Amino acid sequence: MIKRIHHIAVAVPKLEEAARFYEEILGLHLAGVEVVEGMDTKVGFFSVGETNIELVEPTKQETGLARFLANRGPGIHHICLEVDDIEAELKKFKEKGARLIDETPRQGAHGMKVGFIHPKAAGGVLIELCELPK
Ligand code: CO
C-alpha cells in the first residue's frame, strides 16, 4: 500500500550551497544530512508538512545522478512514495509489468529500505519507493 509522498528529490551539485535558498529564503530547516555510501550520494531533508524536500548531491562522478546533473543540470530528480512493505510492492509492480531498477530493496538514508522504478515505466518520472525503519 502506498501511504504518502515521502519526499520530492532535487538533484544539486553542492548540497550546502543549494540548501541556502531553502533555509534563508523559504525559512525551512535542513536536517538529516547524511552520506549514503551504497548510493554514492549525500542527502539532506527539509520537512514540509506531511512530506519532505530532499536535496541530493552525487559523491561519485560515474553515477546515474552525476550523469543526470551533467546532462540536464540541477532540478527535480525523483518522487519518493512511502510504502508499508517494499518487498511486496516491488514484487507486485513487477508482476504487473513495470520495469524496475531495483528488484530487491537497497539501503537508503536514515535506515530506510528503498527501491527505484524505471522512469520509462512512469511517464519519464523516476519513482523511488521507501519503507521506513520499524
Ligand atoms: Co530519494
Side-chain angles (χ1 to χ4, degrees), residues 7-8 10 12 14-35 42-48 51-57 109-110:
H7 60 266
I8 295 168
V10 179
V12 298
K14 281 272 164 260
L15 192 146
E16 278 81 8
E17 278 175 34
R20 262 188 242 134
F21 165 78
Y22 295 88
E23 291 184 298
E24 292 171 16
I25 307 294
L26 299 188
L28 297 172
H29 174 66
L30 178 63
V33 175
E34 180 182 339
V35 173
K42 182 175 173 185
V43 302
F45 289 90
F46 298 96
S47 173
V48 185
T51 190
N52 301 274
I53 294 170
E54 174 190 56
L55 299 185
V56 57
E57 171 191 325
H110 310 302

mmCIF file of all heavy atoms in Angstrom, residues 7-8 10 12 14-35 42-48 51-57 109-110:
data_model
loop_
_atom_site.group_PDB
_atom_site.id
_atom_site.type_symbol
_atom_site.label_atom_id
_atom_site.label_comp_id
_atom_site.label_asym_id
_atom_site.label_seq_id
_atom_site.Cartn_x
_atom_site.Cartn_y
_atom_site.Cartn_z
ATOM 1 N N HIS A 7 9.059 12.104 -0.110
ATOM 2 C CA HIS A 7 9.833 13.293 -0.474
ATOM 3 C C HIS A 7 9.845 13.497 -1.978
ATOM 4 O O HIS A 7 9.572 12.585 -2.752
ATOM 5 C CB HIS A 7 11.272 13.248 0.070
ATOM 6 C CG HIS A 7 12.112 12.098 -0.402
ATOM 7 N ND1 HIS A 7 12.229 10.919 0.305
ATOM 8 C CD2 HIS A 7 12.885 11.943 -1.497
ATOM 9 C CE1 HIS A 7 13.049 10.100 -0.343
ATOM 10 N NE2 HIS A 7 13.459 10.683 -1.448
ATOM 11 N N ILE A 8 10.148 14.741 -2.336
ATOM 12 C CA ILE A 8 10.454 15.111 -3.713
ATOM 13 C C ILE A 8 11.926 15.473 -3.705
ATOM 14 O O ILE A 8 12.365 16.284 -2.878
ATOM 15 C CB ILE A 8 9.576 16.294 -4.169
ATOM 16 C CG1 ILE A 8 8.105 15.849 -4.193
ATOM 17 C CG2 ILE A 8 10.022 16.802 -5.532
ATOM 18 C CD1 ILE A 8 7.126 16.986 -4.345
ATOM 19 N N VAL A 10 15.527 16.824 -5.259
ATOM 20 C CA VAL A 10 16.116 17.794 -6.176
ATOM 21 C C VAL A 10 17.608 17.485 -6.282
ATOM 22 O O VAL A 10 18.310 17.445 -5.260
ATOM 23 C CB VAL A 10 15.902 19.234 -5.647
ATOM 24 C CG1 VAL A 10 16.541 20.252 -6.589
ATOM 25 C CG2 VAL A 10 14.412 19.524 -5.458
ATOM 26 N N VAL A 12 21.324 18.343 -6.991
ATOM 27 C CA VAL A 12 22.129 19.564 -6.906
ATOM 28 C C VAL A 12 23.614 19.191 -6.925
ATOM 29 O O VAL A 12 23.998 18.129 -6.438
ATOM 30 C CB VAL A 12 21.813 20.374 -5.613
ATOM 31 C CG1 VAL A 12 20.364 20.835 -5.601
ATOM 32 C CG2 VAL A 12 22.128 19.593 -4.349
ATOM 33 N N LYS A 14 26.040 20.860 -5.280
ATOM 34 C CA LYS A 14 26.601 21.089 -3.939
ATOM 35 C C LYS A 14 25.454 21.305 -2.963
ATOM 36 O O LYS A 14 24.769 22.324 -3.011
ATOM 37 C CB LYS A 14 27.503 22.333 -3.939
ATOM 38 C CG LYS A 14 28.879 22.074 -4.527
ATOM 39 C CD LYS A 14 29.851 21.569 -3.452
ATOM 40 C CE LYS A 14 31.100 20.947 -4.029
ATOM 41 N NZ LYS A 14 31.091 19.497 -4.072
ATOM 42 N N LEU A 15 25.266 20.353 -2.068
ATOM 43 C CA LEU A 15 24.117 20.373 -1.165
ATOM 44 C C LEU A 15 24.067 21.646 -0.307
ATOM 45 O O LEU A 15 23.033 22.303 -0.228
ATOM 46 C CB LEU A 15 24.153 19.117 -0.280
ATOM 47 C CG LEU A 15 22.890 18.826 0.520
ATOM 48 C CD1 LEU A 15 22.692 17.327 0.639
ATOM 49 C CD2 LEU A 15 22.915 19.456 1.888
ATOM 50 N N GLU A 16 25.194 21.979 0.322
ATOM 51 C CA GLU A 16 25.184 23.128 1.248
ATOM 52 C C GLU A 16 24.860 24.432 0.506
ATOM 53 O O GLU A 16 24.139 25.271 1.036
ATOM 54 C CB GLU A 16 26.526 23.258 1.993
ATOM 55 C CG GLU A 16 26.645 22.346 3.206
ATOM 56 C CD GLU A 16 27.024 20.911 2.852
ATOM 57 O OE1 GLU A 16 27.343 20.652 1.659
ATOM 58 O OE2 GLU A 16 26.985 20.045 3.732
ATOM 59 N N GLU A 17 25.388 24.578 -0.701
ATOM 60 C CA GLU A 17 25.102 25.797 -1.468
ATOM 61 C C GLU A 17 23.625 25.862 -1.843
ATOM 62 O O GLU A 17 22.972 26.892 -1.700
ATOM 63 C CB GLU A 17 25.942 25.835 -2.748
ATOM 64 C CG GLU A 17 27.347 26.339 -2.518
ATOM 65 C CD GLU A 17 28.207 26.246 -3.784
ATOM 66 O OE1 GLU A 17 27.671 26.423 -4.895
ATOM 67 O OE2 GLU A 17 29.405 25.976 -3.619
ATOM 68 N N ALA A 18 23.085 24.756 -2.331
ATOM 69 C CA ALA A 18 21.681 24.730 -2.749
ATOM 70 C C ALA A 18 20.755 24.899 -1.551
ATOM 71 O O ALA A 18 19.665 25.467 -1.670
ATOM 72 C CB ALA A 18 21.383 23.424 -3.475
ATOM 73 N N ALA A 19 21.188 24.428 -0.391
ATOM 74 C CA ALA A 19 20.344 24.480 0.813
ATOM 75 C C ALA A 19 20.072 25.914 1.243
ATOM 76 O O ALA A 19 19.062 26.189 1.892
ATOM 77 C CB ALA A 19 21.009 23.711 1.949
ATOM 78 N N ARG A 20 20.969 26.823 0.863
ATOM 79 C CA ARG A 20 20.825 28.207 1.332
ATOM 80 C C ARG A 20 19.492 28.812 0.917
ATOM 81 O O ARG A 20 18.848 29.498 1.713
ATOM 82 C CB ARG A 20 21.980 29.062 0.809
ATOM 83 C CG ARG A 20 23.059 29.210 1.846
ATOM 84 C CD ARG A 20 24.109 30.218 1.403
ATOM 85 N NE ARG A 20 25.369 29.511 1.307
ATOM 86 C CZ ARG A 20 26.215 29.609 0.291
ATOM 87 N NH1 ARG A 20 25.957 30.408 -0.731
ATOM 88 N NH2 ARG A 20 27.334 28.928 0.295
ATOM 89 N N PHE A 21 19.053 28.562 -0.318
ATOM 90 C CA PHE A 21 17.754 29.105 -0.765
ATOM 91 C C PHE A 21 16.622 28.595 0.129
ATOM 92 O O PHE A 21 15.766 29.374 0.579
ATOM 93 C CB PHE A 21 17.482 28.712 -2.223
ATOM 94 C CG PHE A 21 16.049 28.913 -2.627
ATOM 95 C CD1 PHE A 21 15.570 30.178 -2.934
ATOM 96 C CD2 PHE A 21 15.165 27.830 -2.675
ATOM 97 C CE1 PHE A 21 14.233 30.373 -3.292
ATOM 98 C CE2 PHE A 21 13.832 28.023 -3.031
ATOM 99 C CZ PHE A 21 13.371 29.287 -3.338
ATOM 100 N N TYR A 22 16.638 27.294 0.403
ATOM 101 C CA TYR A 22 15.549 26.696 1.178
ATOM 102 C C TYR A 22 15.550 27.189 2.624
ATOM 103 O O TYR A 22 14.501 27.345 3.244
ATOM 104 C CB TYR A 22 15.652 25.165 1.132
ATOM 105 C CG TYR A 22 15.440 24.638 -0.261
ATOM 106 C CD1 TYR A 22 16.501 24.509 -1.149
ATOM 107 C CD2 TYR A 22 14.165 24.302 -0.711
ATOM 108 C CE1 TYR A 22 16.312 24.047 -2.444
ATOM 109 C CE2 TYR A 22 13.958 23.847 -1.998
ATOM 110 C CZ TYR A 22 15.035 23.726 -2.859
ATOM 111 O OH TYR A 22 14.833 23.281 -4.139
ATOM 112 N N GLU A 23 16.777 27.454 3.152
ATOM 113 C CA GLU A 23 16.887 27.919 4.540
ATOM 114 C C GLU A 23 16.640 29.420 4.647
ATOM 115 O O GLU A 23 15.815 29.866 5.438
ATOM 116 C CB GLU A 23 18.289 27.604 5.083
ATOM 117 C CG GLU A 23 18.523 26.120 5.274
ATOM 118 C CD GLU A 23 19.881 25.818 5.908
ATOM 119 O OE1 GLU A 23 20.909 26.153 5.290
ATOM 120 O OE2 GLU A 23 19.888 25.247 7.008
ATOM 121 N N GLU A 24 17.373 30.191 3.820
ATOM 122 C CA GLU A 24 17.364 31.649 4.019
ATOM 123 C C GLU A 24 16.152 32.312 3.377
ATOM 124 O O GLU A 24 15.630 33.287 3.913
ATOM 125 C CB GLU A 24 18.659 32.250 3.467
ATOM 126 C CG GLU A 24 19.861 31.814 4.304
ATOM 127 C CD GLU A 24 21.195 32.195 3.669
ATOM 128 O OE1 GLU A 24 21.222 33.045 2.757
ATOM 129 O OE2 GLU A 24 22.216 31.619 4.100
ATOM 130 N N ILE A 25 15.698 31.812 2.246
ATOM 131 C CA ILE A 25 14.550 32.433 1.581
ATOM 132 C C ILE A 25 13.245 31.789 2.035
ATOM 133 O O ILE A 25 12.322 32.465 2.470
ATOM 134 C CB ILE A 25 14.665 32.331 0.037
ATOM 135 C CG1 ILE A 25 16.018 32.870 -0.448
ATOM 136 C CG2 ILE A 25 13.492 33.043 -0.639
ATOM 137 C CD1 ILE A 25 16.249 34.344 -0.260
ATOM 138 N N LEU A 26 13.167 30.449 1.969
ATOM 139 C CA LEU A 26 11.910 29.786 2.335
ATOM 140 C C LEU A 26 11.759 29.599 3.840
ATOM 141 O O LEU A 26 10.658 29.386 4.326
ATOM 142 C CB LEU A 26 11.815 28.419 1.636
ATOM 143 C CG LEU A 26 11.824 28.419 0.100
ATOM 144 C CD1 LEU A 26 11.526 27.029 -0.428
ATOM 145 C CD2 LEU A 26 10.844 29.428 -0.484
ATOM 146 N N GLY A 27 12.879 29.667 4.570
ATOM 147 C CA GLY A 27 12.797 29.538 6.023
ATOM 148 C C GLY A 27 12.589 28.109 6.499
ATOM 149 O O GLY A 27 12.073 27.876 7.597
ATOM 150 N N LEU A 28 12.990 27.146 5.673
ATOM 151 C CA LEU A 28 12.879 25.740 6.087
ATOM 152 C C LEU A 28 14.143 25.328 6.828
ATOM 153 O O LEU A 28 15.173 25.994 6.759
ATOM 154 C CB LEU A 28 12.671 24.854 4.850
ATOM 155 C CG LEU A 28 11.385 25.127 4.062
ATOM 156 C CD1 LEU A 28 11.385 24.332 2.764
ATOM 157 C CD2 LEU A 28 10.150 24.794 4.897
ATOM 158 N N HIS A 29 14.062 24.205 7.519
ATOM 159 C CA HIS A 29 15.174 23.747 8.356
ATOM 160 C C HIS A 29 15.798 22.491 7.763
ATOM 161 O O HIS A 29 15.110 21.478 7.580
ATOM 162 C CB HIS A 29 14.661 23.486 9.778
ATOM 163 C CG HIS A 29 15.699 22.883 10.663
ATOM 164 N ND1 HIS A 29 16.841 23.552 11.038
ATOM 165 C CD2 HIS A 29 15.779 21.656 11.229
ATOM 166 C CE1 HIS A 29 17.582 22.766 11.809
ATOM 167 N NE2 HIS A 29 16.965 21.609 11.933
ATOM 168 N N LEU A 30 17.098 22.578 7.465
ATOM 169 C CA LEU A 30 17.814 21.428 6.905
ATOM 170 C C LEU A 30 18.136 20.439 8.016
ATOM 171 O O LEU A 30 18.711 20.807 9.043
ATOM 172 C CB LEU A 30 19.106 21.903 6.230
ATOM 173 C CG LEU A 30 20.006 20.827 5.619
ATOM 174 C CD1 LEU A 30 19.301 20.085 4.494
ATOM 175 C CD2 LEU A 30 21.311 21.451 5.103
ATOM 176 N N ALA A 31 17.762 19.192 7.804
ATOM 177 C CA ALA A 31 18.017 18.157 8.806
ATOM 178 C C ALA A 31 18.466 16.888 8.113
ATOM 179 O O ALA A 31 18.263 16.703 6.914
ATOM 180 C CB ALA A 31 16.747 17.892 9.621
ATOM 181 N N GLY A 32 19.058 16.038 8.893
ATOM 182 C CA GLY A 32 19.370 14.702 8.410
ATOM 183 C C GLY A 32 20.332 14.669 7.249
ATOM 184 O O GLY A 32 20.160 13.878 6.330
ATOM 185 N N VAL A 33 21.363 15.535 7.276
ATOM 186 C CA VAL A 33 22.377 15.453 6.219
ATOM 187 C C VAL A 33 23.180 14.176 6.445
ATOM 188 O O VAL A 33 23.646 13.907 7.543
ATOM 189 C CB VAL A 33 23.298 16.697 6.232
ATOM 190 C CG1 VAL A 33 24.417 16.540 5.211
ATOM 191 C CG2 VAL A 33 22.490 17.954 5.937
ATOM 192 N N GLU A 34 23.280 13.389 5.392
ATOM 193 C CA GLU A 34 23.906 12.073 5.534
ATOM 194 C C GLU A 34 24.540 11.670 4.205
ATOM 195 O O GLU A 34 23.948 11.877 3.149
ATOM 196 C CB GLU A 34 22.814 11.051 5.918
ATOM 197 C CG GLU A 34 23.328 9.636 6.093
ATOM 198 C CD GLU A 34 22.207 8.634 6.436
ATOM 199 O OE1 GLU A 34 21.139 9.067 6.922
ATOM 200 O OE2 GLU A 34 22.421 7.449 6.210
ATOM 201 N N VAL A 35 25.742 11.103 4.272
ATOM 202 C CA VAL A 35 26.343 10.476 3.094
ATOM 203 C C VAL A 35 25.848 9.039 3.066
ATOM 204 O O VAL A 35 26.019 8.303 4.035
ATOM 205 C CB VAL A 35 27.882 10.539 3.145
ATOM 206 C CG1 VAL A 35 28.493 9.735 2.000
ATOM 207 C CG2 VAL A 35 28.351 11.988 3.088
ATOM 208 N N LYS A 42 25.034 12.259 -1.203
ATOM 209 C CA LYS A 42 24.892 12.976 0.065
ATOM 210 C C LYS A 42 23.509 13.602 0.026
ATOM 211 O O LYS A 42 23.145 14.229 -0.974
ATOM 212 C CB LYS A 42 25.968 14.044 0.155
ATOM 213 C CG LYS A 42 25.987 14.855 1.426
ATOM 214 C CD LYS A 42 27.214 15.769 1.346
ATOM 215 C CE LYS A 42 27.269 16.746 2.470
ATOM 216 N NZ LYS A 42 28.413 17.670 2.259
ATOM 217 N N VAL A 43 22.721 13.416 1.072
ATOM 218 C CA VAL A 43 21.342 13.893 1.061
ATOM 219 C C VAL A 43 21.075 14.766 2.288
ATOM 220 O O VAL A 43 21.757 14.656 3.304
ATOM 221 C CB VAL A 43 20.323 12.714 1.046
ATOM 222 C CG1 VAL A 43 20.549 11.815 -0.153
ATOM 223 C CG2 VAL A 43 20.365 11.920 2.338
ATOM 224 N N GLY A 44 20.098 15.634 2.166
ATOM 225 C CA GLY A 44 19.609 16.413 3.291
ATOM 226 C C GLY A 44 18.122 16.640 3.082
ATOM 227 O O GLY A 44 17.662 16.705 1.938
ATOM 228 N N PHE A 45 17.372 16.751 4.172
ATOM 229 C CA PHE A 45 15.916 16.840 4.080
ATOM 230 C C PHE A 45 15.397 18.131 4.706
ATOM 231 O O PHE A 45 15.880 18.578 5.741
ATOM 232 C CB PHE A 45 15.265 15.659 4.810
ATOM 233 C CG PHE A 45 15.447 14.341 4.101
ATOM 234 C CD1 PHE A 45 16.547 13.544 4.366
ATOM 235 C CD2 PHE A 45 14.528 13.910 3.160
ATOM 236 C CE1 PHE A 45 16.725 12.332 3.709
ATOM 237 C CE2 PHE A 45 14.699 12.705 2.504
ATOM 238 C CZ PHE A 45 15.801 11.915 2.779
ATOM 239 N N PHE A 46 14.392 18.708 4.044
ATOM 240 C CA PHE A 46 13.601 19.788 4.620
ATOM 241 C C PHE A 46 12.196 19.257 4.850
ATOM 242 O O PHE A 46 11.521 18.858 3.897
ATOM 243 C CB PHE A 46 13.524 20.983 3.657
ATOM 244 C CG PHE A 46 14.859 21.584 3.359
ATOM 245 C CD1 PHE A 46 15.550 21.201 2.215
ATOM 246 C CD2 PHE A 46 15.419 22.515 4.200
ATOM 247 C CE1 PHE A 46 16.782 21.761 1.927
ATOM 248 C CE2 PHE A 46 16.657 23.080 3.917
ATOM 249 C CZ PHE A 46 17.337 22.697 2.786
ATOM 250 N N SER A 47 11.761 19.254 6.086
ATOM 251 C CA SER A 47 10.410 18.808 6.391
ATOM 252 C C SER A 47 9.414 19.865 5.931
ATOM 253 O O SER A 47 9.571 21.050 6.234
ATOM 254 C CB SER A 47 10.294 18.587 7.904
ATOM 255 O OG SER A 47 8.961 18.321 8.243
ATOM 256 N N VAL A 48 8.397 19.440 5.172
ATOM 257 C CA VAL A 48 7.350 20.352 4.683
ATOM 258 C C VAL A 48 6.010 19.664 4.935
ATOM 259 O O VAL A 48 5.559 18.864 4.125
ATOM 260 C CB VAL A 48 7.517 20.654 3.174
ATOM 261 C CG1 VAL A 48 6.492 21.692 2.740
ATOM 262 C CG2 VAL A 48 8.918 21.132 2.846
ATOM 263 N N THR A 51 5.276 15.908 4.124
ATOM 264 C CA THR A 51 6.281 15.380 3.214
ATOM 265 C C THR A 51 7.596 16.143 3.391
ATOM 266 O O THR A 51 7.766 16.892 4.355
ATOM 267 C CB THR A 51 5.748 15.394 1.758
ATOM 268 O OG1 THR A 51 6.644 14.679 0.920
ATOM 269 C CG2 THR A 51 5.557 16.788 1.216
ATOM 270 N N ASN A 52 8.529 15.888 2.503
ATOM 271 C CA ASN A 52 9.857 16.491 2.614
ATOM 272 C C ASN A 52 10.358 16.869 1.235
ATOM 273 O O ASN A 52 9.957 16.278 0.238
ATOM 274 C CB ASN A 52 10.865 15.485 3.193
ATOM 275 C CG ASN A 52 10.481 14.979 4.561
ATOM 276 O OD1 ASN A 52 10.791 15.605 5.571
ATOM 277 N ND2 ASN A 52 9.794 13.843 4.608
ATOM 278 N N ILE A 53 11.274 17.843 1.214
ATOM 279 C CA ILE A 53 12.091 18.080 0.031
ATOM 280 C C ILE A 53 13.469 17.522 0.353
ATOM 281 O O ILE A 53 14.024 17.807 1.424
ATOM 282 C CB ILE A 53 12.173 19.575 -0.305
ATOM 283 C CG1 ILE A 53 10.791 20.114 -0.711
ATOM 284 C CG2 ILE A 53 13.188 19.814 -1.431
ATOM 285 C CD1 ILE A 53 10.722 21.617 -0.842
ATOM 286 N N GLU A 54 13.978 16.687 -0.534
ATOM 287 C CA GLU A 54 15.305 16.097 -0.361
ATOM 288 C C GLU A 54 16.253 16.744 -1.355
ATOM 289 O O GLU A 54 15.960 16.762 -2.549
ATOM 290 C CB GLU A 54 15.232 14.588 -0.620
ATOM 291 C CG GLU A 54 16.588 13.891 -0.597
ATOM 292 C CD GLU A 54 16.529 12.444 -1.105
ATOM 293 O OE1 GLU A 54 16.075 12.211 -2.236
ATOM 294 O OE2 GLU A 54 16.942 11.563 -0.365
ATOM 295 N N LEU A 55 17.356 17.263 -0.887
ATOM 296 C CA LEU A 55 18.429 17.667 -1.790
ATOM 297 C C LEU A 55 19.395 16.503 -1.882
ATOM 298 O O LEU A 55 19.743 15.899 -0.866
ATOM 299 C CB LEU A 55 19.160 18.914 -1.266
ATOM 300 C CG LEU A 55 18.326 20.178 -1.104
ATOM 301 C CD1 LEU A 55 19.227 21.347 -0.704
ATOM 302 C CD2 LEU A 55 17.546 20.517 -2.360
ATOM 303 N N VAL A 56 19.801 16.180 -3.097
ATOM 304 C CA VAL A 56 20.670 15.029 -3.292
ATOM 305 C C VAL A 56 21.833 15.411 -4.186
ATOM 306 O O VAL A 56 21.648 15.978 -5.267
ATOM 307 C CB VAL A 56 19.849 13.807 -3.802
ATOM 308 C CG1 VAL A 56 19.104 14.122 -5.076
ATOM 309 C CG2 VAL A 56 20.731 12.595 -4.006
ATOM 310 N N GLU A 57 23.038 15.167 -3.665
ATOM 311 C CA GLU A 57 24.291 15.528 -4.342
ATOM 312 C C GLU A 57 25.065 14.242 -4.637
ATOM 313 O O GLU A 57 25.178 13.392 -3.751
ATOM 314 C CB GLU A 57 25.109 16.433 -3.397
ATOM 315 C CG GLU A 57 26.516 16.706 -3.856
ATOM 316 C CD GLU A 57 27.394 17.381 -2.766
ATOM 317 O OE1 GLU A 57 26.876 18.203 -1.973
ATOM 318 O OE2 GLU A 57 28.589 17.054 -2.722
ATOM 319 N N ALA A 109 18.913 6.359 2.924
ATOM 320 C CA ALA A 109 19.234 7.246 4.044
ATOM 321 C C ALA A 109 18.368 6.900 5.251
ATOM 322 O O ALA A 109 17.260 6.369 5.113
ATOM 323 C CB ALA A 109 18.999 8.703 3.624
ATOM 324 N N HIS A 110 18.884 7.199 6.431
ATOM 325 C CA HIS A 110 18.123 7.107 7.683
ATOM 326 C C HIS A 110 17.528 5.728 7.917
ATOM 327 O O HIS A 110 16.408 5.597 8.426
ATOM 328 C CB HIS A 110 17.017 8.171 7.733
ATOM 329 C CG HIS A 110 17.517 9.533 7.407
ATOM 330 N ND1 HIS A 110 18.531 10.143 8.124
ATOM 331 C CD2 HIS A 110 17.201 10.385 6.405
ATOM 332 C CE1 HIS A 110 18.797 11.320 7.592
ATOM 333 N NE2 HIS A 110 18.017 11.497 6.542
#
